[in-house]
Amino acid sequence: MMSLIKANKPSNFFVLSATLLWLAVHAVYSHLQYVAFEGNEGAPSWLVGWYELSPWFIVYIFVTVALYTFTKIIEGKDRPIWQRITLHLSTMVLLNVANWISSTALYFIITNVDFATFVPFVQQMLSTTIQLDLLIYLGLLSMSLGLCFHDKRIQEKIEFKNLQTALIDEQLNTLRTQLNPHFLFNALNTAVSLIRLKRDDEAVKALAELSSMLRKILEHKNNSGSKVKEEIAFIKNYLCIQQMRFSDKLDVKISVEDNCLELEIPNMLLHPLVENAVQHGSQLESNRNLVDLNVSRDGDQLLVKMTNRIAENDQHKGFGIGVSNTKDRLAKLYKDYRLDLCANRDGFFETTLSIPISVANV
Amino acid sequence: MAFLKQPYLFRLVLQMFDVLIADDEQLARETVKFLLAQCDGIGTVHETNNGKSTLQLVQQYHPKIVMLDIEMPNINGIEVAKQLPDDISVIFITAFSHFEEHMSAVKCAGYLLKPFKDDEFYECFEKARAIQLELHGQAI
């Protein structure tokens, strides 16, 4: 309970405002009383009137602060409406009783009235001021509620903004995993080199392949799937550019069964695997790399098999960010999937992926 | 008259320098060769696609200027440069600016960020040639 109160403590600014408000109300009320009784016999001076009325107002400063704290606690959590109403009502009873008792006690102390008359005094006071006190209390309650909702809205706005930033970051991240910036530089450099060497036709081809890749990345909706044939076309674009760069050491073989072409698979699922295969192959010194990609269907499973050559001393410093991203995505998308990446039989690296078709095509 | 026995020394007398291009990308090697063909004072141009053979070719042919790619199979360009004799001028050619900080650890005549303009290439190459002329002009 104490920690809850501590956590919901109003700001110093709120406490100061409440103090000033009640001091001002106190002063105005004292003045009105003074004016009303001015000239009457035995009427107290302004200062004495102010002093004797102070208990009824000073205690309200604490009531206001306590009420705001309790309101914050009650509204801080999502509670059912009946619970909220009960909590507000009990707070109301508690605070008002405390208010009446403490302000009367304070009045008795500062005016030296005998405490023997305490109970009848409270009873008499309640019969005259209870409506006014409850009215003031309700006013304070609605103000506190208003402040709470205002706070909540600001909090929500901040959260919404944070969420938006996170979303943009996420989108940028996807873009980065889809198109390795190194590859983009290399592709542009390839086009520049071809133009320099006056091999115009090839330069045109390189730029055309690059722009179809960019088109697919930029125009595709992030969360939707993509057909196998579109994915394969993208991979072919990619491999075509890589072959222009490494014409002396990269061979490509792609075969896709006809009944797989129209199947839906998650967007950009295969490309990182191909990129990984090409990158490992680029470590070869003399041998040509052969990337052999096979897509077939086995019942309700889509099978993707790829082999590529790797250098004998290929240091397997884990896999690139692309492959680890693909693993994350697969784990999120499917309960049942298989992705094996392993080096086997003399200098070949094998990548096997199998995913259920039914889920992919929902 | 040692230069009569060693052809590379003979070319030095003529102020011609052999160049070695080390890049794992064939297209990049062709581009550099193409640009070198338009420079004066070039002797033989050798080429290779990996770090290990770069070191072997340097021992075998004593090129005076080496154009080094950084991302290469087996030994990367920066490691290669550290093992080269001091009197060789190295020009790094790379697509990635983040290697810049590593390059400061190695003595080099310059570096080119791909894709580069023709002028940038010639300026860099002339600088390397000037360094070699100064070195060998006095030695012979």
Side-chain angles (χ1 to χ4, degrees):
Chain A
M1 187 68 196
M2 280 319 283
S3 63
L4 249 181
I5 290 177
K6 239 181 208 167
N8 289 287
K9 196 168 60 98
S11 65
N12 290 341
F13 178 71
F14 181 86
V15 176
L16 182 71
S17 314
T19 312
L20 290 179
L21 170 77
W22 285 112
L23 285 179
V25 172
H26 179 199
V28 169
Y29 189 77
S30 310
H31 187 69
L32 288 179
Q33 288 289 73
Y34 173 74
V35 171
F37 291 100
E38 200 181 14
N40 286 13
E41 211 172 304
S45 72
W46 198 96
L47 216 58
V48 171
W50 180 85
Y51 177 70
E52 287 186 354
L53 281 170
S54 60
W56 320 112
F57 294 96
I58 301 299
V59 173
Y60 259 114
I61 296 172
F62 298 98
V63 171
T64 311
V65 173
L67 172 58
Y68 184 50
T69 310
F70 282 126
T71 314
K72 269 170 93 173
I73 293 173
I74 295 167
E75 297 297 328
K77 255 200 263 172
D78 260 338
R79 301 169 200 274
I81 185 84
W82 60 266
Q83 201 178 9
R84 272 162 57 188
I85 290 174
T86 322
L87 282 169
H88 278 304
L89 280 177
S90 25
T91 313
M92 183 168 156
V93 172
L94 182 82
L95 284 181
N96 273 303
V97 170
N99 176 14
W100 292 323
I101 292 175
S102 51
S103 47
T104 311
L106 208 60
Y107 176 74
F108 274 53
I109 291 166
I110 65 169
T111 52
N112 286 323
V113 179
D114 186 4
F115 266 89
T117 58
F118 188 77
V119 177
F121 186 93
V122 171
Q123 278 172 346
Q124 197 244 329
M125 182 197 70
L126 284 186
S127 64
T128 54
T129 66
I130 188 163
Q131 298 100 323
L132 186 66
D133 275 332
L134 287 182
L135 210 65
I136 292 174
Y137 183 87
L138 288 178
L140 290 176
L141 177 62
S142 42
M143 181 204 73
S144 302
L145 282 173
L147 273 176
C148 277
F149 292 140
H150 182 69
D151 274 3
K152 247 191 205 168
R153 268 205 50 198
I154 288 180
Q155 207 63 38
E156 271 166 16
K157 255 190 198 165
I158 292 171
E159 268 166 34
F160 182 68
K161 258 203 178 143
N162 287 345
L163 235 113
Q164 262 186 329
T165 336
L167 188 73
I168 291 168
D169 274 355
E170 185 61 36
Q171 280 171 338
L172 265 177
N173 245 333
T174 352
L175 188 71
R176 226 172 274 142
T177 54
Q178 283 172 349
L179 195 72
N180 188 336
H182 287 192
F183 171 73
L184 186 61
F185 274 119
N186 283 326
L188 286 173
N189 189 46
T190 303
V192 170
S193 297
L194 289 169
I195 293 168
R196 193 171 263 146
L197 295 170
K198 310 262 186 309
R199 283 149 65 176
D200 296 351
D201 292 351
E202 287 171 79
V204 169
K205 188 153 191 269
L207 286 175
E209 304 280 1
L210 181 63
S211 54
S212 18
M213 289 178 81
L214 288 174
R215 177 168 299 126
K216 172 152 167 48
I217 288 169
L218 296 175
E219 288 181 358
H220 199 92
K221 299 280 173 296
N222 246 333
N223 300 319
S224 55
S226 170
K227 285 187 176 150
V228 168
K229 63 176 181 189
E230 290 167 5
E231 295 294 303
I232 295 294
F234 185 85
I235 288 167
K236 278 183 178 161
N237 293 149
Y238 169 79
L239 288 172
C240 185
I241 292 175
Q242 293 292 39
Q243 272 187 304
M244 285 182 183
R245 294 177 57 208
F246 301 104
S247 48
D248 58 335
K249 57 177 196 179
L250 177 63
D251 289 320
V252 174
K253 213 175 113 194
I254 296 179
S255 61
V256 185
E257 277 182 15
D258 283 348
N259 57 1
C260 298
L261 287 173
E262 298 293 327
L263 293 174
E264 285 257 319
I265 56 170
N267 189 29
M268 289 288 177
L269 189 69
L270 304 182
H271 175 67
L273 302 175
V274 176
E275 199 168 26
N276 186 54
V278 172
Q279 249 149 29
H280 276 288
S282 74
Q283 290 294 313
L284 291 164
E285 292 157 33
S286 47
N287 227 339
R288 291 175 75 93
N289 186 16
L290 170 66
V291 175
D292 185 352
L293 177 65
N294 248 297
V295 182
S296 60
R297 186 176 179 163
D298 178 18
D300 61 347
Q301 297 278 311
L302 184 74
L303 277 179
V304 180
K305 230 179 176 177
M306 184 168 57
T307 55
N308 61 279
R309 281 210 186 90
I310 48 169
E312 278 170 34
N313 56 347
D314 195 321
Q315 310 105 346
H316 273 283
K317 287 184 240 148
F319 300 106
I321 184 157
V323 174
S324 67
N325 265 328
T326 305
K327 280 183 180 161
D328 286 349
R329 284 185 71 196
L330 283 167
K332 273 182 208 159
L333 287 166
Y334 302 108
K335 266 189 237 146
D336 260 334
Y337 73 91
R338 196 162 71 92
L339 176 63
D340 293 327
L341 295 128
C342 59
N344 66 345
R345 48 186 176 99
D346 26 271
F348 274 93
F349 188 83
E350 207 169 83
T351 310
T352 319
L353 170 72
S354 115
I355 50 172
I357 291 170
S358 47
V359 181
N361 281 284
V362 166
Chain B
M1 300 299 263
F3 63 81
L4 288 180
K5 287 181 207 151
Q6 300 277 14
Y8 76 92
L9 284 178
F10 184 69
R11 282 200 284 278
L12 280 183
V13 176
L14 299 176
Q15 299 196 329
M16 287 170 81
F17 301 106
D18 288 0
V19 179
L20 172 63
I21 305 168
D23 198 315
D24 67 333
E25 206 182 309
Q26 193 193 21
L27 193 59
R29 294 198 299 271
E30 279 180 47
T31 308
V32 173
K33 257 198 295 187
F34 175 84
L35 290 168
L36 283 178
Q38 291 156 52
C39 291
D40 295 328
I42 310 277
T44 314
V45 177
H46 307 280
E47 52 181 293
T48 174
N49 68 357
N50 68 76
K52 250 189 223 164
S53 73
T54 306
L55 292 171
Q56 284 164 5
L57 289 177
V58 166
Q59 281 204 332
Q60 194 177 339
Y61 296 112
H62 306 275
K64 289 296 158 219
I65 298 173
V66 178
M67 322 284 286
L68 264 183
D69 180 23
I70 290 181
E71 287 202 313
M72 275 193 300
N74 56 48
I75 308 177
N76 78 43
I78 289 168
E79 291 308 311
V80 168
K82 284 181 188 162
Q83 296 177 37
L84 289 178
D86 279 347
D87 66 333
I88 288 182
S89 296
V90 173
I91 296 174
F92 285 116
I93 302 185
T94 176
F96 312 118
S97 52
H98 60 247
F99 286 120
E100 218 169 310
E101 46 191 296
H102 302 287
M103 276 182 241
S104 58
V106 189
K107 217 183 92 190
C108 69
Y111 74 91
L112 291 165
L113 222 49
K114 287 194 267 192
F116 45 78
K117 293 177 205 143
D118 288 11
D119 290 347
E120 288 168 345
F121 179 88
Y122 293 132
E123 194 181 310
C124 203
F125 189 78
E126 282 310 316
K127 208 171 120 197
R129 229 176 76 92
I131 293 171
Q132 288 302 320
L133 279 175
E134 188 139 317
L135 269 175
H136 297 285
Q138 289 165 1
I140 296 164

PDB file of all heavy atoms in Angstrom, chain A residues 1 10 36 41 72 89 102 117 128-129 133 135 142 167 171 193-194 197 225 231 235 249 258 268 284 286 344 350:
ATOM      1  N   MET A   1       0.838  -1.204   0.000  1.00  0.00           N
ATOM      2  CA  MET A   1       0.000   0.000   0.000  1.00  0.00           C
ATOM      3  C   MET A   1       0.878   1.261   0.000  1.00  0.00           C
ATOM      4  O   MET A   1       0.663   2.167  -0.798  1.00  0.00           O
ATOM      5  CB  MET A   1      -0.908  -0.029   1.244  1.00  0.00           C
ATOM      6  CG  MET A   1      -1.939   1.087   1.256  1.00  0.00           C
ATOM      7  SD  MET A   1      -3.186   0.881  -0.040  1.00  0.00           S
ATOM      8  CE  MET A   1      -3.898   2.495  -0.091  1.00  0.00           C
ATOM      9  N   PRO A  10       1.377  12.665  -6.146  1.00  0.00           N
ATOM     10  CA  PRO A  10       1.262  13.765  -7.108  1.00  0.00           C
ATOM     11  C   PRO A  10       2.557  14.574  -7.139  1.00  0.00           C
ATOM     12  O   PRO A  10       3.324  14.545  -6.183  1.00  0.00           O
ATOM     13  CB  PRO A  10       0.120  14.613  -6.548  1.00  0.00           C
ATOM     14  CG  PRO A  10      -0.489  13.850  -5.451  1.00  0.00           C
ATOM     15  CD  PRO A  10       0.493  12.825  -4.998  1.00  0.00           C
ATOM     16  N   ALA A  36     -19.698  40.668   5.585  1.00  0.00           N
ATOM     17  CA  ALA A  36     -21.079  40.415   5.982  1.00  0.00           C
ATOM     18  C   ALA A  36     -21.343  40.872   7.418  1.00  0.00           C
ATOM     19  O   ALA A  36     -22.410  41.396   7.728  1.00  0.00           O
ATOM     20  CB  ALA A  36     -21.392  38.933   5.849  1.00  0.00           C
ATOM     21  N   GLU A  41     -22.009  44.166  16.284  1.00  0.00           N
ATOM     22  CA  GLU A  41     -21.344  44.180  17.578  1.00  0.00           C
ATOM     23  C   GLU A  41     -20.670  42.839  17.803  1.00  0.00           C
ATOM     24  O   GLU A  41     -21.259  41.776  17.519  1.00  0.00           O
ATOM     25  CB  GLU A  41     -22.361  44.441  18.690  1.00  0.00           C
ATOM     26  CG  GLU A  41     -21.734  45.190  19.865  1.00  0.00           C
ATOM     27  CD  GLU A  41     -22.790  45.602  20.873  1.00  0.00           C
ATOM     28  OE1 GLU A  41     -23.742  46.311  20.424  1.00  0.00           O
ATOM     29  OE2 GLU A  41     -22.668  45.210  22.027  1.00  0.00           O
ATOM     30  N   LYS A  72      -5.607   8.305  -8.698  1.00  0.00           N
ATOM     31  CA  LYS A  72      -4.581   7.758  -9.592  1.00  0.00           C
ATOM     32  C   LYS A  72      -4.407   6.264  -9.369  1.00  0.00           C
ATOM     33  O   LYS A  72      -4.238   5.494 -10.326  1.00  0.00           O
ATOM     34  CB  LYS A  72      -3.230   8.472  -9.357  1.00  0.00           C
ATOM     35  CG  LYS A  72      -3.045   9.681 -10.266  1.00  0.00           C
ATOM     36  CD  LYS A  72      -1.848  10.480  -9.861  1.00  0.00           C
ATOM     37  CE  LYS A  72      -0.600  10.083 -10.613  1.00  0.00           C
ATOM     38  NZ  LYS A  72       0.509  11.010 -10.292  1.00  0.00           N
ATOM     39  N   LEU A  89     -16.387   5.240  -3.895  1.00  0.00           N
ATOM     40  CA  LEU A  89     -17.320   5.542  -2.805  1.00  0.00           C
ATOM     41  C   LEU A  89     -16.655   5.379  -1.448  1.00  0.00           C
ATOM     42  O   LEU A  89     -16.809   6.230  -0.562  1.00  0.00           O
ATOM     43  CB  LEU A  89     -18.548   4.616  -2.901  1.00  0.00           C
ATOM     44  CG  LEU A  89     -19.595   5.037  -3.936  1.00  0.00           C
ATOM     45  CD1 LEU A  89     -20.732   4.030  -4.002  1.00  0.00           C
ATOM     46  CD2 LEU A  89     -20.137   6.435  -3.604  1.00  0.00           C
ATOM     47  N   SER A 102     -10.846  15.774  11.575  1.00  0.00           N
ATOM     48  CA  SER A 102      -9.594  16.502  11.781  1.00  0.00           C
ATOM     49  C   SER A 102      -9.802  18.007  11.758  1.00  0.00           C
ATOM     50  O   SER A 102      -9.188  18.745  12.532  1.00  0.00           O
ATOM     51  CB  SER A 102      -8.535  16.077  10.754  1.00  0.00           C
ATOM     52  OG  SER A 102      -9.096  16.152   9.475  1.00  0.00           O
ATOM     53  N   THR A 117     -17.590  18.917  24.219  1.00  0.00           N
ATOM     54  CA  THR A 117     -18.690  19.209  23.288  1.00  0.00           C
ATOM     55  C   THR A 117     -18.369  18.758  21.865  1.00  0.00           C
ATOM     56  O   THR A 117     -19.040  19.130  20.919  1.00  0.00           O
ATOM     57  CB  THR A 117     -18.969  20.713  23.274  1.00  0.00           C
ATOM     58  OG1 THR A 117     -17.745  21.377  22.885  1.00  0.00           O
ATOM     59  CG2 THR A 117     -19.400  21.216  24.632  1.00  0.00           C
ATOM     60  N   THR A 128     -25.472  21.022   8.942  1.00  0.00           N
ATOM     61  CA  THR A 128     -25.510  22.252   8.146  1.00  0.00           C
ATOM     62  C   THR A 128     -24.604  22.210   6.924  1.00  0.00           C
ATOM     63  O   THR A 128     -24.919  22.789   5.889  1.00  0.00           O
ATOM     64  CB  THR A 128     -25.086  23.463   9.007  1.00  0.00           C
ATOM     65  OG1 THR A 128     -23.799  23.158   9.593  1.00  0.00           O
ATOM     66  CG2 THR A 128     -26.095  23.749  10.094  1.00  0.00           C
ATOM     67  N   THR A 129     -23.429  21.519   7.004  1.00  0.00           N
ATOM     68  CA  THR A 129     -22.474  21.671   5.890  1.00  0.00           C
ATOM     69  C   THR A 129     -22.250  20.403   5.075  1.00  0.00           C
ATOM     70  O   THR A 129     -21.432  20.406   4.149  1.00  0.00           O
ATOM     71  CB  THR A 129     -21.102  22.140   6.409  1.00  0.00           C
ATOM     72  OG1 THR A 129     -20.551  21.075   7.213  1.00  0.00           O
ATOM     73  CG2 THR A 129     -21.215  23.395   7.222  1.00  0.00           C
ATOM     74  N   ASP A 133     -19.920  20.100   1.721  1.00  0.00           N
ATOM     75  CA  ASP A 133     -18.678  19.326   1.714  1.00  0.00           C
ATOM     76  C   ASP A 133     -18.696  18.251   0.625  1.00  0.00           C
ATOM     77  O   ASP A 133     -17.710  18.038  -0.097  1.00  0.00           O
ATOM     78  CB  ASP A 133     -18.459  18.660   3.077  1.00  0.00           C
ATOM     79  CG  ASP A 133     -17.771  19.612   4.052  1.00  0.00           C
ATOM     80  OD1 ASP A 133     -17.023  20.491   3.553  1.00  0.00           O
ATOM     81  OD2 ASP A 133     -17.988  19.498   5.256  1.00  0.00           O
ATOM     82  N   LEU A 135     -20.427  18.282  -2.067  1.00  0.00           N
ATOM     83  CA  LEU A 135     -20.380  18.948  -3.371  1.00  0.00           C
ATOM     84  C   LEU A 135     -18.934  19.294  -3.738  1.00  0.00           C
ATOM     85  O   LEU A 135     -18.468  19.049  -4.857  1.00  0.00           O
ATOM     86  CB  LEU A 135     -21.234  20.222  -3.315  1.00  0.00           C
ATOM     87  CG  LEU A 135     -21.870  20.623  -4.648  1.00  0.00           C
ATOM     88  CD1 LEU A 135     -22.873  19.572  -5.076  1.00  0.00           C
ATOM     89  CD2 LEU A 135     -22.519  21.990  -4.532  1.00  0.00           C
ATOM     90  N   SER A 142     -14.056  15.026  -9.701  1.00  0.00           N
ATOM     91  CA  SER A 142     -14.114  15.108 -11.166  1.00  0.00           C
ATOM     92  C   SER A 142     -12.842  15.751 -11.712  1.00  0.00           C
ATOM     93  O   SER A 142     -12.340  15.353 -12.761  1.00  0.00           O
ATOM     94  CB  SER A 142     -15.358  15.862 -11.634  1.00  0.00           C
ATOM     95  OG  SER A 142     -15.565  16.972 -10.832  1.00  0.00           O
ATOM     96  N   LEU A 167       8.114   0.397 -35.411  1.00  0.00           N
ATOM     97  CA  LEU A 167       7.627  -0.180 -36.659  1.00  0.00           C
ATOM     98  C   LEU A 167       8.515   0.232 -37.824  1.00  0.00           C
ATOM     99  O   LEU A 167       8.877  -0.581 -38.678  1.00  0.00           O
ATOM    100  CB  LEU A 167       6.188   0.277 -36.899  1.00  0.00           C
ATOM    101  CG  LEU A 167       5.481  -0.381 -38.067  1.00  0.00           C
ATOM    102  CD1 LEU A 167       5.139  -1.815 -37.712  1.00  0.00           C
ATOM    103  CD2 LEU A 167       4.222   0.367 -38.457  1.00  0.00           C
ATOM    104  N   GLN A 171      10.680  -2.073 -40.313  1.00  0.00           N
ATOM    105  CA  GLN A 171      10.580  -2.074 -41.775  1.00  0.00           C
ATOM    106  C   GLN A 171      11.951  -1.877 -42.417  1.00  0.00           C
ATOM    107  O   GLN A 171      12.280  -2.530 -43.397  1.00  0.00           O
ATOM    108  CB  GLN A 171       9.632  -0.963 -42.232  1.00  0.00           C
ATOM    109  CG  GLN A 171       8.173  -1.361 -42.092  1.00  0.00           C
ATOM    110  CD  GLN A 171       7.247  -0.195 -42.330  1.00  0.00           C
ATOM    111  OE1 GLN A 171       7.645   0.958 -42.196  1.00  0.00           O
ATOM    112  NE2 GLN A 171       6.007  -0.493 -42.649  1.00  0.00           N
ATOM    113  N   SER A 193      31.556  -0.516 -64.141  1.00  0.00           N
ATOM    114  CA  SER A 193      32.687  -1.189 -64.791  1.00  0.00           C
ATOM    115  C   SER A 193      32.349  -1.577 -66.217  1.00  0.00           C
ATOM    116  O   SER A 193      33.153  -1.391 -67.137  1.00  0.00           O
ATOM    117  CB  SER A 193      33.064  -2.449 -64.020  1.00  0.00           C
ATOM    118  OG  SER A 193      33.501  -2.113 -62.735  1.00  0.00           O
ATOM    119  N   LEU A 194      31.144  -2.116 -66.412  1.00  0.00           N
ATOM    120  CA  LEU A 194      30.758  -2.554 -67.755  1.00  0.00           C
ATOM    121  C   LEU A 194      30.674  -1.380 -68.709  1.00  0.00           C
ATOM    122  O   LEU A 194      31.080  -1.467 -69.873  1.00  0.00           O
ATOM    123  CB  LEU A 194      29.417  -3.292 -67.699  1.00  0.00           C
ATOM    124  CG  LEU A 194      29.484  -4.675 -67.047  1.00  0.00           C
ATOM    125  CD1 LEU A 194      28.082  -5.214 -66.786  1.00  0.00           C
ATOM    126  CD2 LEU A 194      30.264  -5.647 -67.920  1.00  0.00           C
ATOM    127  N   LEU A 197      34.118  -0.362 -69.651  1.00  0.00           N
ATOM    128  CA  LEU A 197      34.729  -1.289 -70.596  1.00  0.00           C
ATOM    129  C   LEU A 197      34.000  -1.309 -71.942  1.00  0.00           C
ATOM    130  O   LEU A 197      34.257  -2.149 -72.781  1.00  0.00           O
ATOM    131  CB  LEU A 197      34.738  -2.694 -70.003  1.00  0.00           C
ATOM    132  CG  LEU A 197      35.616  -2.883 -68.760  1.00  0.00           C
ATOM    133  CD1 LEU A 197      35.362  -4.226 -68.126  1.00  0.00           C
ATOM    134  CD2 LEU A 197      37.083  -2.742 -69.116  1.00  0.00           C
ATOM    135  N   GLY A 225       2.405 -13.046 -48.787  1.00  0.00           N
ATOM    136  CA  GLY A 225       3.244 -14.076 -49.370  1.00  0.00           C
ATOM    137  C   GLY A 225       3.632 -13.724 -50.788  1.00  0.00           C
ATOM    138  O   GLY A 225       3.350 -12.638 -51.290  1.00  0.00           O
ATOM    139  N   GLU A 231       9.713 -15.558 -56.508  1.00  0.00           N
ATOM    140  CA  GLU A 231      10.935 -15.698 -55.714  1.00  0.00           C
ATOM    141  C   GLU A 231      12.086 -16.179 -56.585  1.00  0.00           C
ATOM    142  O   GLU A 231      13.215 -15.693 -56.485  1.00  0.00           O
ATOM    143  CB  GLU A 231      10.720 -16.688 -54.567  1.00  0.00           C
ATOM    144  CG  GLU A 231       9.714 -16.222 -53.535  1.00  0.00           C
ATOM    145  CD  GLU A 231      10.194 -14.994 -52.777  1.00  0.00           C
ATOM    146  OE1 GLU A 231      11.278 -15.061 -52.182  1.00  0.00           O
ATOM    147  OE2 GLU A 231       9.487 -13.976 -52.803  1.00  0.00           O
ATOM    148  N   ILE A 235      15.696 -14.456 -57.497  1.00  0.00           N
ATOM    149  CA  ILE A 235      16.975 -15.142 -57.307  1.00  0.00           C
ATOM    150  C   ILE A 235      17.768 -15.166 -58.614  1.00  0.00           C
ATOM    151  O   ILE A 235      18.983 -14.996 -58.630  1.00  0.00           O
ATOM    152  CB  ILE A 235      16.722 -16.564 -56.771  1.00  0.00           C
ATOM    153  CG1 ILE A 235      16.269 -16.466 -55.308  1.00  0.00           C
ATOM    154  CG2 ILE A 235      17.952 -17.435 -56.897  1.00  0.00           C
ATOM    155  CD1 ILE A 235      15.693 -17.728 -54.748  1.00  0.00           C
ATOM    156  N   LYS A 249      34.147 -17.691 -62.173  1.00  0.00           N
ATOM    157  CA  LYS A 249      34.058 -18.723 -61.134  1.00  0.00           C
ATOM    158  C   LYS A 249      32.677 -18.959 -60.532  1.00  0.00           C
ATOM    159  O   LYS A 249      32.568 -19.437 -59.426  1.00  0.00           O
ATOM    160  CB  LYS A 249      35.073 -18.466 -60.020  1.00  0.00           C
ATOM    161  CG  LYS A 249      34.952 -17.120 -59.353  1.00  0.00           C
ATOM    162  CD  LYS A 249      35.969 -17.051 -58.219  1.00  0.00           C
ATOM    163  CE  LYS A 249      35.648 -15.930 -57.291  1.00  0.00           C
ATOM    164  NZ  LYS A 249      36.582 -15.857 -56.196  1.00  0.00           N
ATOM    165  N   ASP A 258       7.206 -27.875 -62.228  1.00  0.00           N
ATOM    166  CA  ASP A 258       6.098 -27.029 -62.690  1.00  0.00           C
ATOM    167  C   ASP A 258       4.990 -26.874 -61.644  1.00  0.00           C
ATOM    168  O   ASP A 258       4.381 -25.812 -61.530  1.00  0.00           O
ATOM    169  CB  ASP A 258       5.500 -27.599 -63.980  1.00  0.00           C
ATOM    170  CG  ASP A 258       6.405 -27.286 -65.156  1.00  0.00           C
ATOM    171  OD1 ASP A 258       7.319 -26.456 -64.961  1.00  0.00           O
ATOM    172  OD2 ASP A 258       6.209 -27.868 -66.235  1.00  0.00           O
ATOM    173  N   MET A 268      10.526 -13.471 -49.768  1.00  0.00           N
ATOM    174  CA  MET A 268      11.973 -13.406 -49.522  1.00  0.00           C
ATOM    175  C   MET A 268      12.490 -14.470 -48.560  1.00  0.00           C
ATOM    176  O   MET A 268      13.368 -14.201 -47.744  1.00  0.00           O
ATOM    177  CB  MET A 268      12.345 -12.040 -48.917  1.00  0.00           C
ATOM    178  CG  MET A 268      12.245 -10.936 -49.859  1.00  0.00           C
ATOM    179  SD  MET A 268      13.597 -11.052 -51.030  1.00  0.00           S
ATOM    180  CE  MET A 268      13.175  -9.686 -52.048  1.00  0.00           C
ATOM    181  N   LEU A 284      36.316 -19.513 -52.795  1.00  0.00           N
ATOM    182  CA  LEU A 284      37.103 -20.484 -53.571  1.00  0.00           C
ATOM    183  C   LEU A 284      38.246 -19.771 -54.272  1.00  0.00           C
ATOM    184  O   LEU A 284      38.076 -18.673 -54.791  1.00  0.00           O
ATOM    185  CB  LEU A 284      36.211 -21.144 -54.626  1.00  0.00           C
ATOM    186  CG  LEU A 284      35.131 -22.090 -54.095  1.00  0.00           C
ATOM    187  CD1 LEU A 284      34.103 -22.340 -55.193  1.00  0.00           C
ATOM    188  CD2 LEU A 284      35.754 -23.394 -53.651  1.00  0.00           C
ATOM    189  N   SER A 286      40.540 -21.373 -56.786  1.00  0.00           N
ATOM    190  CA  SER A 286      40.708 -21.709 -58.189  1.00  0.00           C
ATOM    191  C   SER A 286      39.463 -22.373 -58.766  1.00  0.00           C
ATOM    192  O   SER A 286      39.058 -22.104 -59.892  1.00  0.00           O
ATOM    193  CB  SER A 286      41.905 -22.650 -58.346  1.00  0.00           C
ATOM    194  OG  SER A 286      41.818 -23.669 -57.372  1.00  0.00           O
ATOM    195  N   ASN A 344      29.039 -31.249 -46.652  1.00  0.00           N
ATOM    196  CA  ASN A 344      29.203 -32.696 -46.735  1.00  0.00           C
ATOM    197  C   ASN A 344      29.980 -33.050 -47.995  1.00  0.00           C
ATOM    198  O   ASN A 344      30.348 -32.184 -48.771  1.00  0.00           O
ATOM    199  CB  ASN A 344      27.855 -33.410 -46.682  1.00  0.00           C
ATOM    200  CG  ASN A 344      27.017 -33.118 -47.885  1.00  0.00           C
ATOM    201  OD1 ASN A 344      27.300 -32.185 -48.620  1.00  0.00           O
ATOM    202  ND2 ASN A 344      25.992 -33.894 -48.083  1.00  0.00           N
ATOM    203  N   GLU A 350      25.542 -28.256 -48.441  1.00  0.00           N
ATOM    204  CA  GLU A 350      24.166 -28.573 -48.807  1.00  0.00           C
ATOM    205  C   GLU A 350      23.191 -27.804 -47.921  1.00  0.00           C
ATOM    206  O   GLU A 350      23.338 -27.770 -46.706  1.00  0.00           O
ATOM    207  CB  GLU A 350      23.932 -30.071 -48.664  1.00  0.00           C
ATOM    208  CG  GLU A 350      22.841 -30.568 -49.590  1.00  0.00           C
ATOM    209  CD  GLU A 350      22.820 -32.102 -49.625  1.00  0.00           C
ATOM    210  OE1 GLU A 350      22.216 -32.692 -48.721  1.00  0.00           O
ATOM    211  OE2 GLU A 350      23.418 -32.677 -50.547  1.00  0.00           O
TER     212      GLU A 350
END
